[in-house]
Amino acid sequence: MSPRGAALRFYLTALFEAQTSAARADSHPVSKRPLRGTHDDTGWDDLLASPSQDTSGNVYMTVAAKKRRQLHATLDRLHQEELVALPNIDAGSNKYEAFELMDEGGRRDQGPNDVYRLPKADDKAAFGLPVSFFTQGWVHCLEDTELAFVLMIASLGALTDEVKIEGRERLLRYGLGRDAYEAHIMLNRLGLLDVRPDPSRYADGKIQGYSGPSDAHLHSFKLLPDGFEKPAYRAVLTAIGEALDQADDA
């Protein structure tokens, strides 16, 4: 995760592209998609949403050039974490072409990472997301902390059931601290997440009658698949506008 980087959303997009390919389950998908799109072909740069705008002045860089630079930086970051392989790393400016996905576990303590393989239908380690998470643009419009929160809740089975997670498990297993945990507020506002707070917990996080760490008062969460069916960009703008209006009223 990073405030301005695109590594998380690009990797998720690449997984989605691989899983919608014609490759069979348990195979290693190899994409023939070019890095740079043309009039006839959709490139990886077309699948990377960016707020970049043309600049003028002493230094001029087009949107396409900015996206290409961001894409290269993203692949460098993913390669560093062993989430992608760069078979053409010695090919100069073409080193990023034909990159290959590596296993989601990333860099290991010992030995190289394995190649990515498409999950089987009965793979218990895999979990699902609504297809509209990608097709309606949510992967591009949510912050990294919000994306990570969605993935955490989905991995806990919350597409079908409500789940609770203790702070220690959230931090050690998913790497989401207190600030990232607050992502549930915006996800709830967007209609993507049902949040049911413990009635004894105050808005500031304090707990009525708290008696120590063993006295757990946890929110319960459930993803709302239908919420992902609406276009993300418009929904996010609306939610931000409503939040600003409420702040002004307060």
Side-chain angles (χ1 to χ4, degrees):
M1 297 190 299
S2 59
R4 298 181 181 275
L8 177 57
R9 53 192 173 93
F10 183 81
Y11 187 69
L12 291 174
T13 300
L15 291 178
F16 178 64
E17 195 258 6
Q19 292 181 21
T20 55
S21 68
R24 67 183 186 279
D26 201 34
S27 66
H28 174 52
V30 178
S31 174
K32 297 181 179 179
R33 188 179 303 282
L35 215 63
R36 186 176 182 179
T38 66
H39 291 297
D40 299 319
D41 294 311
T42 300
W44 285 108
D45 58 352
D46 296 313
L47 301 182
L48 179 65
S50 171
S52 298
Q53 298 180 355
D54 289 333
T55 57
S56 58
N58 296 330
V59 179
Y60 181 80
M61 182 175 287
T62 64
V63 169
K66 289 181 178 180
K67 289 183 70 173
R68 197 155 52 247
R69 183 176 64 179
Q70 184 180 32
L71 185 54
H72 291 172
T74 295
L75 287 169
D76 280 334
R77 173 72 187 282
L78 293 172
H79 180 249
Q80 179 183 2
E81 300 297 333
E82 295 188 26
L83 288 167
V84 301
L86 301 177
N88 300 311
I89 195 168
D90 297 323
S93 60
N94 292 322
K95 76 173 189 176
Y96 301 105
E97 293 290 349
F99 70 88
E100 296 183 15
L101 289 172
M102 303 296 285
D103 185 84
E104 304 102 306
R107 189 169 53 197
R108 297 183 173 187
D109 292 334
Q110 296 181 347
N113 192 19
D114 293 329
V115 298
Y116 172 75
R117 293 191 173 278
L118 293 170
K120 299 178 182 178
D122 59 351
D123 188 346
K124 295 181 179 179
F127 60 91
L129 287 174
V131 171
S132 52
F133 174 82
F134 297 95
T135 58
Q136 294 291 4
W138 291 103
V139 69
H140 301 296
C141 292
L142 296 178
E143 299 284 347
D144 273 13
T145 52
E146 294 161 353
L147 292 174
F149 198 97
V150 167
L151 292 171
M152 176 182 71
I153 299 302
S155 75
L156 292 168
L159 281 175
T160 54
D161 301 305
E162 292 184 7
V163 298
K164 297 181 179 181
I165 182 168
E166 294 185 358
R168 178 180 175 83
E169 181 184 7
R170 184 189 74 240
L171 185 60
L172 296 181
R173 184 177 175 187
Y174 297 96
L176 297 183
R178 183 183 296 273
D179 290 343
Y181 178 73
E182 295 301 310
H184 76 266
I185 298 173
M186 187 61 174
L187 293 171
N188 177 250
R189 186 183 295 273
L190 289 167
L192 306 178
L193 183 71
D194 181 45
V195 181
R196 298 192 179 186
D198 186 283
S200 62
R201 183 183 290 270
Y202 298 115
D204 62 0
K206 295 180 180 179
I207 299 172
Q208 181 181 10
Y210 181 70
S211 60
S214 62
D215 187 15
H217 293 254
L218 303 174
H219 291 349
S220 66
F221 303 104
K222 182 178 180 180
L223 288 178
L224 302 174
D226 289 346
F228 293 94
E229 295 296 331
K230 53 183 181 287
Y233 184 69
R234 189 180 307 123
V236 169
L237 288 181
T238 299
I240 292 175
E242 291 175 349
L244 292 174
D245 289 342
Q246 291 177 7
D248 290 341
D249 293 340

